[in-house]
Amino acid sequence: MSSVLNRASRNFLWRHPWQLALAIVGIALGVAVVISIDLAMESSLNAFNQAGKAFSGVATHRIVAGDGGLDEKLYRRLRVDEGIQKLSPVVNGYVFVSKQADAGFSLIGIDPFIEKSFQSIWQTRQNKNTSVGLLTRLITEPNTALISEQTASRLGLNIEDDLTIDTDHGERRLKIIGLLSPNNAVSEQVLSRLIVTDIATAQEVLEMFGRLSSIEVLIDKHQPDAAPVPDRLAAYTPIIRKALPGYALLVSTESQSQAMREMTRAFSINLKALGLLSLLVGMFLIYNTMTFLVMQRRRLIGSLRSIGVTRRQIFKLIIGEALLLAAIGTLIGIVLGIALGQGLLYLISGTINAIYFRIDAASLMITPLQIGKGALLGITATLLSVLPPAFEATRISPVTVLVRSQLESGIRRLIKAANLISGVFILGGMALAFLSGKSIALGLASIFLLLFGFAMMTPALTLMFMKLIERIFGRLSGILVRLPARMVSAEISRTGIAIAALMIAVSATIGMDLMISSFRQTVADWLQTSLRADLYVSLPGERMPGARAEEDQRLKAKLAELQDVKMLSSVLHTNTAIAKDGVSAEAGAAAENDFTKVAVFELNEESRPGFIFKHKTDNTLWDRFEQQQTVIVTEPYAYHHGVKIGDKILLQTDQGNEPFEVLGIYADYSGDRGHLAMSRRNYRHYWPDLGYSGIGVYAKDGVDLQQLENRINKLLTAQQSVQSDQAIYKASMELFEQTFTITETLRWLSAAIAFVGVFSALMALQFERTRQLGILRAIGITSGQLAVLITGETALMGLVAGLIAIPVGYIVAYMLIFVIYQRSFGWTMAFHFNPGVIYQGLALALIAATLAGILPALKMAQTKPAEALRSE
């Protein structure tokens, strides 16, 4: 019997290649989007981790400091005085190859004769044989460097050639004295953007004289005669921490890597949710196709049941077909996902670069785990989608197999039950949203519950709309105008699912558009309020005490002496260490030793109104900010750390841990982790002068700003720049648009999958209606009228999907703005109504449905009455 079933299944499937192709496309697109996001995100983070291993190798810990780096005397003290041998001093910075766009390199300065046990990436098997003479040259000859063979080939360089690089302090030349050979794809990727020099050369090139970027520490887990690792950790760490100055920390490389991953967690979850949205729309498409394949075989299944085939065998037959489609679709989806992931990698890496941390030379990393997750997701989604039609197939009775009306009446009973279930999903989604605390995943789950609930309600709402349209147009015109609405209602088992899939995609599009436009307007208002100065001088590069800070002071004094300058303000962006348990108990949670960003402000009367506080303030706030040991914090910082006004934050200083009281919380959209803000007077009391990151210039009334900008430019070096507030505003908004490029891309992919879903449903209707359309042709309806009928039907489907999607889109936007984005990034933003988004969403639904119906309409219009009425 099984061979008969398999042959019947195979013969039927081969007669419907379009439906099979569309089902496979739905699975493939959903899987491709999910896999591509996972691959691109993990590859970006892996590129960052591998770059760290370029100089840290298997180091277990790292001594790091905020801006200004470490005094190199600390390395000598730890190694000589404290007897800790496995230490590796590192100087690193970012440089560019001259006259080449986007040719950024990490320049690292190392001790060439460091312990081999660190196993840095530059010490690959091939490079370990590098001659002692070459390493000696690296130390003894100034301005010498090593680069990879691939880099040399790409730049057209040979050994003994000069490599010209641009740094924050001007142009430098390095002589290439050797080439590094990667031994695998990972090391090739990292070495392709790496320049290795001696520490002294790196300090000179980067102007970090007497300073180190970090010190790598190795507590060897495989040392046979040593004490157990926990004992050695307990012995070493107190010695190291006691020797460290207040501005430095000892952190494990594992925890630092995890902190970077945690930093992008919210961004990653949001992207993966968009991928799952595409898969959800694809599930409706799969359900639609499998239901069609079952309904088309009602006569066949009834015949099989009459000759003794059991319900269980029918169920296994449908599940087997679904597994075959899932396997093919998932395989294609994996291939598409890898190709799509390569494109998304650029977008995701660009966003991480702009918001979080620098990523160099990311290349797509494909692992069996990620492919396995995608395959499991595709097969599971397909099986879940096919369960309802599979159960429907087991209910087909041989007696009633020819009664089409029984199917639709059964579907209408299911629609009534679905309305009740949809209410449960919607109420459950709302409850989950407001009772799930700060959980991002549960917040996104609530949106999926809401979307699924409204999708289940869509068929019932479609029937209501069709009745209303039929009544309105029935009074004004004849049967041909009423037919499209009746056709949608008569085939609600088919049209309802297609409309639901399209509604989900369009409502998500409307919700995302409203969220993005609200965010854009909020950021624009914030920038216009915050940019108080007329001109802004940017001072890039590493912040260093000593000569560098003195240069910044002299520049500021020269700017103040310009006759057209009314006053100045300044800011220093730096990092400082938060002590363990650095947030007071009232703040709700203890913090681990870590660095936090600090903005050090030197304000004037005109710059203070640029702060948008999230609470009422009094006239004493700014006096307390300047005179007392206080800070104000950004809204994201307060949200992520549970900080409230009046709490105290412990910061590490050379004088010990010092408490700073939180005076206020203000809006800031420059980053999603937040930072502290303190007065320059407070900062200078506990930390060395690191100069400035930027200087705000306030011009006198009536001054020609362009002429003032030209005069300021004459005082600046080639790396420094001056821009107007409008130029900064424009550049900031361009960066904003760049960060949402990935969101726009994924949103349109979801819409494309929905388009395929509508097209699939209409193609299915073409086959199901052959006899019905033959009757219409036989009673005198022309081919052109039939095409208009079908086009009108698809337009009505798009209209209904668009109308339902509008309120659902508003709900999605509300959830994104006030639940998801606040939990993800700590921002609050105003809801800005944008009527253009509504019109675009409605137009998208109408156009997508109408376009999807063109080919089916043409095919149906060509149906010959005699063939259509012929018995099967």
Side-chain angles (χ1 to χ4, degrees), residues 10 61 70 113 130 188 226 231 246 249 395 473 490 502 547 560 568 591 685 716 724 754 771 814 822 828 846 870:
R10 184 171 59 251
H61 291 73
L70 299 164
F113 296 106
T130 303
E188 180 180 349
D231 295 340
L249 291 178
R395 296 172 54 201
F473 287 98
L502 184 58
L568 301 175
H685 187 71
L716 306 181
S724 67
R771 188 174 183 83
Y814 180 90
Q822 184 172 14
T828 57
L846 275 169
R870 185 182 303 150

Side-chain angles (χ1 to χ4, degrees), residues 502-515:
L502 184 58
M503 183 278 294
I504 287 179
V506 174
S507 63
T509 297
I510 291 174
M512 292 297 294
D513 270 340
L514 286 172
M515 183 277 296

